[in-house]
Amino acid sequence: MTVHQQVLDGSHRAFMLGYLENLALIERLHRLLLDVVKDEFERLGILEINPVQALLLFNIGDNEVTAGELKSRGYYQGSNVSYNLKKLVELGYMHHQRSEIDRRSVRVRLTEKGRRVRGQLHDLFSRHAEGLEKRGVLSPAMVEDANQSLKRMERYWTDQIRYIY
């Protein structure tokens, strides 16, 4: 093995270790986000929905969507989104209406109760953003850099799914 090959192998190894750390951090951060939402909702006495359902309400926001649209945007997986939407309708957090054109398709939007939960999550995330910035944990530029890196990784993974397999 030449010195050049050793350098390349070393830099690839360092990149691989960094990439694996990124993957572990993404996974841990997602679980931690769910725990943060669960803790906030327990504090507020909102016990009938779980953190995944709460984030679903947050992500739908003021939009009217179908389960298929949520899946195609990459937010949620098939049966998981259908189950959670059904539960949120049953609990009064969402309205649903069958499409006049395609009777198989159901459009959903938040009720007032759902909008209140979305607002509570917005308040929580606003407090977090303010705290992160005030304490110097993250700057606006650091947040933008992280977002750009994660978007590039998302595009790469999406291409792997669409074009490789």
Side-chain angles (χ1 to χ4, degrees), residues 54-79:
L55 289 169
L56 186 58
L57 293 172
F58 184 80
N59 287 322
I60 290 172
D62 293 329
N63 300 310
E64 184 174 292
V65 297
T66 65
E69 289 168 340
L70 291 169
K71 288 182 279 188
S72 69
R73 291 180 196 168
Y75 289 131
Y76 304 96
Q77 294 181 340
S79 60

Side-chain angles (χ1 to χ4, degrees), residues 16-28:
M16 178 65 174
L17 291 173
Y19 178 65
L20 293 175
E21 185 177 5
N22 281 176
L23 297 178
L25 282 167
I26 291 167
E27 189 177 3
R28 279 199 320 263

Side-chain angles (χ1 to χ4, degrees), residues 39-53:
D39 182 64
E40 177 74 358
F41 278 26
E42 286 174 354
R43 190 180 65 71
L44 294 171
I46 303 171
L47 306 175
E48 64 185 357
I49 63 173
N50 65 42
V52 170
Q53 292 164 340

Side-chain angles (χ1 to χ4, degrees), residues 89-136:
V89 168
E90 288 172 3
L91 293 168
Y93 290 93
M94 301 189 90
H95 291 294
H96 74 289
Q97 181 176 355
R98 198 157 295 283
S99 170
E100 296 293 326
I101 299 165
D102 180 358
R103 300 301 294 166
R104 298 168 297 170
S105 178
V106 175
R107 298 197 69 74
V108 294
R109 69 182 189 287
L110 302 187
T111 62
E112 181 56 38
K113 186 177 179 182
R115 286 192 295 278
R116 277 195 306 275
V117 167
R118 184 183 190 285
Q120 288 165 320
L121 274 177
H122 181 272
D123 293 347
L124 172 67
F125 296 154
S126 291
R127 288 194 314 270
H128 288 173
E130 186 178 327
L132 287 165
E133 190 173 14
K134 271 187 177 177
R135 292 185 180 139

Side-chain angles (χ1 to χ4, degrees), residues 136-148:
V137 176
L138 293 173
S139 69
M142 292 166 76
V143 170
E144 183 58 29
D145 288 346
N147 285 341
Q148 291 303 316

